[in-house]
Amino acid sequence: MENNKELNYTSLLSEQSNKVIVAFHGWQGNKDSFLPLAKNSLFKNYNWFLLEGPYMVGNNPKRRTWSYEIEPDVFEYEEPKGLIYNFFRKKIFNNYQSKNVYVIGFSLGALVCYEFICTMEEPLGAIFPISGFSRNNINLNKNQKNTPIIIGHGSDDEIVLPEKSMEAYQLLRKQNANVRIVSYSGGHRISNTMINEILNRIKLD
């Protein structure tokens, strides 16, 4: 088992913006998974940090994940939370105002948004969990009550069913979160509809 002290990442930095997008890939992805979106001309003037899961899948360094199994159906969460928190403290909040920080998580990366990003004390610009799921225990920090949380999910997703995002939505609604859910046609992917949602939210601030 690896024991990384810091997360690996790719950064794309722009002098034209003080806003930053932090992206968490899905199961078996890596820090290059969000590269096409980060290089999209619509987002070229924003700063990006593309994070990489600290644990390998099947001893393949290009296939990464955000947790590991301690025993059957029991996963480690505190260690990756600590790594993520340290990254934000050192690389993000030391360089950007928290309200100018936007977080995208796809699939398993959306679970990272629910499990950790929603619990952070620093109020963020927005959180975008996409095609993901929660473990039914989202603990929204009171400082994130006004943070826009925009959940996206494809109506034809057969890998993570759309009902999983609806469950997370309901959990957040019960905590009076500023949350809404966007359904779009298609499967397990980030659609143009969701890309526009992200872009429009960032432009509003």
Side-chain angles (χ1 to χ4, degrees):
M1 180 56 60
E2 297 173 83
N3 186 19
N4 291 359
K5 293 183 179 180
E6 293 186 352
L7 294 177
N8 290 326
Y9 64 89
T10 293
S11 60
L12 288 77
L13 304 179
S14 170
E15 296 181 355
Q16 301 182 49
S17 177
N18 61 354
K19 298 178 179 180
V20 61
I21 303 169
V22 181
F24 292 88
H25 63 75
W27 165 253
Q28 299 191 73
N30 57 50
K31 61 185 180 180
D32 294 334
S33 297
F34 269 95
L35 207 53
L37 183 60
K39 288 187 173 181
N40 187 305
S41 60
L42 295 172
F43 290 97
K44 67 180 181 180
N45 292 332
Y46 297 112
N47 300 289
W48 284 82
F49 282 85
L50 314 178
L51 303 192
E52 183 165 89
Y55 312 110
M56 289 190 294
V57 178
N59 294 318
N60 185 333
K62 293 187 177 181
R63 295 167 58 197
R64 315 294 296 196
T65 186
W66 296 101
S67 182
Y68 60 89
E69 204 169 25
I70 303 171
E71 55 186 74
D73 297 323
V74 178
F75 291 85
E76 172 60 41
Y77 287 99
E78 293 307 314
E79 184 176 84
K81 278 185 180 181
L83 293 172
I84 293 167
Y85 175 78
N86 286 336
F87 172 83
F88 272 82
R89 179 170 56 84
K90 293 178 180 179
K91 300 293 184 181
I92 303 300
F93 296 136
N94 274 343
N95 297 294
Y96 304 93
Q97 294 183 5
S98 67
K99 283 288 191 178
N100 289 333
V101 177
Y102 303 84
V103 180
I104 304 174
F106 177 74
S107 194
L108 188 62
L111 177 65
V112 174
C113 289
Y114 296 132
E115 289 283 325
F116 178 70
I117 303 302
C118 284
T119 72
M120 298 181 77
E121 293 186 356
E122 296 83 355
L124 302 174
I127 304 171
F128 305 96
I130 304 171
S131 300
F133 57 96
S134 72
R135 292 189 302 147
N136 296 321
N137 61 344
I138 302 173
N139 295 312
L140 184 71
N141 190 289
K142 62 181 181 179
N143 294 335
Q144 303 296 353
K145 292 286 187 180
N146 295 320
T147 300
I149 303 173
I150 303 174
I151 300 171
H153 213 121
S155 58
D156 302 315
D157 193 341
E158 296 181 351
I159 296 175
V160 178
L161 297 179
E163 289 82 356
K164 294 299 182 180
S165 278
M166 182 56 68
E167 290 171 3
Y169 169 79
Q170 295 294 349
L171 287 170
L172 288 165
R173 283 285 295 169
K174 289 179 181 178
Q175 299 176 70
N176 298 314
N178 178 15
V179 61
R180 63 187 179 90
I181 190 165
V182 176
S183 178
Y184 47 84
S185 60
H188 197 62
R189 63 185 181 88
I190 302 176
S191 73
N192 288 333
T193 298
M194 198 63 203
I195 290 172
N196 289 331
E197 288 281 348
I198 296 168
L199 190 63
N200 290 338
R201 178 66 254 176
I202 296 174
K203 286 181 175 179
L204 279 177
D205 295 332

